Amino acid sequence: MDIFQIQTCRYGGQRVLEITADEHAAHRLARHVLIDAGDFERRYELLLGNFLAWEEFCAVSQLRFELTKDIGYEHGDMLMMEANRHIINVFSSGRSYIDQVMRDFKMVGEVGAFKNYATDLSNAAYDRSLFFRLTCALRNRSQHRSLLVDHLNAGSPKDGKETIAFHAFKARIADDPMFKKSVLAEMPEKIDLHAMLRGYMTEVSGIHIALRAFVRPNVDLSRALFTSSIKRYTALQKDPDDVSKDGIGVEAIHIRDNTVVETVPLILKWDNNRMKLAEKNRYPIK
């Protein structure tokens, strides 16, 4: 005989909430949705953190140059090496984000609905943005054949002040027979890597926000189901204050012939971080 209940993982002193098999299945699905939603936000946060580190590196390098006007060969080489490290971090986490997001939310909507939408958004960004195309092509080159930064330009005037900038040169990239010819043809002679990565992140942030909106109804319903079940279980107890409002220890449980077949934790505390990340990263990068 199969029994489905909401209860806490403790012995005695509780009144269990009986639920149906369909309700138990809904809790299982809701947990999978919330897990994917959390991974989705954390993956973007990782990419954003690497991009922020690159932006901070560029800003600090610029400020130090303004104060000292001193970049010798050794210091310039160290800056180029550091720039390569930051750029590769953005490349790697960006590729990981795009690849892994295609595997998220398989249980939402029709089969393949989320993946198809993510693919459409990614393809549209590729078609729309030269920066996106450059980043994809240069990422492959930097991972398999050559470091990206060819040149550190110090002292060029921009907006009324001398600046430093990191560049890749088309002439050097053209020597690579594996580089995508269509991208090479539309590439400027000198690529401003700071502008390129900013343009790339503008597109990725737009993709992320659109995908979040696409799954938000399912994510909100999943959290609402957990919240409702925790409240229903709490209302049955002799002392409701003994039950965590965040559902710590509360589970949807499937029992068959006195043997636990499956438990679905209803804890919401871990999902609170997902909500904070979604709120923090709600705006697109310009």
Side-chain angles (χ1 to χ4, degrees):
M1 180 179 179
D2 291 301
I3 298 172
F4 302 92
Q5 299 174 337
I6 305 290
Q7 62 178 46
T8 55
C9 50
R10 60 177 180 171
Y11 294 102
Q14 65 173 310
R15 297 169 180 170
V16 300
L17 173 65
E18 302 290 342
I19 60 174
T20 66
D22 287 344
E23 287 176 316
H24 182 83
H27 285 88
R28 184 197 306 119
L29 174 61
R31 180 163 174 81
H32 283 303
V33 170
L34 292 179
I35 288 173
D36 274 11
D39 290 345
F40 173 71
E41 296 295 347
R42 292 180 183 91
R43 195 179 300 122
Y44 180 68
E45 177 71 7
L46 175 61
L47 170 58
L48 206 57
N50 284 330
F51 175 67
L52 179 60
W54 157 250
E55 288 280 342
E56 289 175 343
F57 163 74
C58 291
V60 170
S61 299
Q62 173 63 35
L63 179 59
R64 286 177 175 166
F65 176 69
E66 289 179 20
L67 294 175
T68 65
K69 296 293 191 296
D70 180 24
I71 295 184
Y73 285 105
E74 291 183 0
H75 181 49
D77 185 62
M78 291 295 292
L79 282 177
M80 289 174 64
M81 183 172 65
E82 189 74 358
N84 273 310
R85 180 176 70 84
H86 284 294
I87 292 170
I88 288 173
N89 284 343
V90 176
F91 279 175
S92 298
S93 52
R95 178 60 183 267
S96 175
Y97 173 86
I98 294 296
D99 284 352
Q100 293 180 28
V101 82
M102 300 296 177
R103 302 183 181 95
D104 286 338
F105 299 107
K106 293 180 179 178
M107 72 298 294
V108 171
E110 297 180 3
V111 176
F114 182 83
K115 180 181 178 180
N116 291 339
Y117 187 48
T119 300
D120 289 344
L121 291 173
S122 180
N123 289 343
Y126 189 91
D127 293 340
R128 177 174 57 243
S129 170
L130 175 59
F131 289 136
F132 196 93
R133 294 192 294 277
L134 285 173
T135 299
C136 292
L138 291 172
R139 178 185 60 227
N140 292 336
R141 181 172 181 266
S142 69
Q143 289 179 333
H144 300 293
R145 290 178 290 281
S146 176
L147 292 175
L148 182 61
V149 181
D150 293 322
H151 181 247
L152 167 61
N153 190 357
S156 296
K158 183 179 181 181
D159 299 329
K161 64 180 180 181
E162 292 183 327
T163 63
I164 65 171
F166 301 95
H167 296 107
F169 289 144
K170 179 177 182 177
R172 293 188 180 181
I173 296 169
D175 291 335
D176 181 359
M178 302 297 292
F179 195 81
K180 193 170 185 178
K181 296 297 186 290
S182 61
V183 177
L184 184 66
E186 60 183 347
M187 182 183 295
E189 295 300 322
K190 186 168 63 174
I191 304 162
D192 183 335
L193 297 174
H194 182 263
M196 182 191 78
L197 286 183
R198 175 61 70 95
Y200 170 74
M201 285 301 299
T202 296
E203 296 295 336
V204 175
S205 67
I207 291 171
H208 185 77
I209 290 169
L211 289 174
R212 181 193 292 138
F214 183 77
V215 297
R216 182 168 182 174
N218 299 83
V219 174
D220 288 349
L221 284 173
S222 296
R223 185 176 174 97
L225 175 61
F226 275 26
T227 301
S228 173
S229 294
I230 293 167
K231 288 180 178 179
R232 289 169 60 201
Y233 171 80
T234 301
L236 288 177
Q237 307 312 305
K238 185 179 298 185
D239 187 354
D241 290 337
D242 285 345
V243 183
S244 167
K245 290 182 174 59
D246 290 313
I248 297 174
V250 182
E251 300 172 332
I253 188 167
H254 175 195
I255 302 171
R256 178 179 298 152
D257 298 330
N258 296 320
T259 300
V260 175
V261 176
E262 180 186 35
T263 60
V264 180
L266 305 189
I267 182 172
L268 288 173
K269 215 164 184 60
W270 60 276
D271 188 57
N272 294 342
N273 286 333
R274 186 266 309 169
M275 296 179 68
K276 290 176 182 176
L277 288 175
E279 174 67 17
K280 181 176 80 70
N281 299 329
R282 66 189 183 278
Y283 297 118
I285 295 170
K286 300 296 186 181

